[in-house]
């Protein structure tokens, strides 16, 4: 059975947590794959609003099927990251994560939304976090990373940041 965040048992207060619940369930079930469709059943709309980073584990495939995802206004976070990216483990060989894939099918649009004014010149100043928190994709210590068939618009800083990563495939990114 294909796991999708449109299954009612995964519904949460926001789209980010709903998607994360589906990912956690896919890991628990052993399927290790989630498909995010165009239609968002939780909100009855053709849009997924992201308020916090979606964290992907090892050996995981996320399929974005004709979906439109946009960052919430005022958020200082990534749209996607690996699950260990913020931990001390991410700085060690033992903490390397493996085989994380995001595949777009059809017309996928990942939108940074309204800019939050976090730039190099405001980074760490005026109560703002560091500018690296504004990368749409933030990968740290991943081997076997694959990103394909995605349209990115209005990124707030760098669209894709990968630190200490190897065996990376980035293909057909617009």
């Amino acid at each position: 059975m294909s796991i999708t965040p449109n299954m009612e048992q995964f519904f949460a207060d926001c789209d980010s947590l709903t998607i994360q619940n589906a990912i956690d369930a896919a890991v628990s079930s052993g399927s290790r794959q989630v498909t995010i469709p165009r239609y968002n059943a939780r909100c009855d709309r053709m849009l997924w609003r992201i308020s916090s980073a979606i964290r992907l584990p090892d050996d995981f495939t996320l399929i974005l099927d004709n979906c439109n995802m946009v960052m919430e206004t005022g958020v200082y976070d990534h749209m996607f990251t690996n699950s260990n990216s913020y931990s001390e483990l991410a700085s060690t060989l033992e903490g390397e994560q493996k085989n994380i894939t995001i595949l777009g099918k059809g017309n996928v649009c990942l939108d940074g939304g309204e800019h939050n004014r976090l730039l190099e010149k405001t980074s760490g100043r005026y109560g703002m976090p560091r500018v690296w928190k504004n990368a749409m994709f933030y990968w740290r210590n991943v081997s076997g990373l694959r990103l394909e068939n995605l349209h990115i618009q209005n990124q707030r800083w760098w669209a894709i940041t990968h630190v200490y990563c190897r065996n990376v495939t980035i293909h057909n990114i617009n």
Side-chain angles (χ1 to χ4, degrees), residues 3 11-12 14 21 25 30 60 65-66 74 84-85 101 140 151 160:
I3 294 180
F11 287 5
C14 66
N21 288 343
F60 195 86
D65 188 2
N66 285 291
N84 288 350
S85 65
T101 299
R140 186 169 168 216
H151 173 76
I160 303 169

Side-chain angles (χ1 to χ4, degrees), residues 35 49-50 56 71 86 101 103 108 127 131 150 152 159 173-174:
T35 299
R49 300 196 64 83
I50 307 305
L56 300 176
M71 292 297 294
Y86 298 117
T101 299
L103 293 177
V108 174
V131 73
L150 306 171
I152 299 170
I173 304 295
N174 177 357

Side-chain angles (χ1 to χ4, degrees), residues 56-76:
L56 300 176
D58 292 306
D59 302 310
F60 195 86
T61 299
L62 184 66
I63 298 172
L64 306 179
D65 188 2
N66 285 291
C67 66
N68 185 5
M69 302 175 83
V70 64
M71 292 297 294
E72 285 284 8
T73 301
V75 168
Y76 302 105

Side-chain angles (χ1 to χ4, degrees), residues 151-164:
H151 173 76
I152 299 170
Q153 66 185 30
N154 301 317
Q155 74 263 12
R156 295 177 178 180
W157 190 52
W158 291 355
I160 303 169
T161 302
H162 43 284
V163 180
Y164 308 125

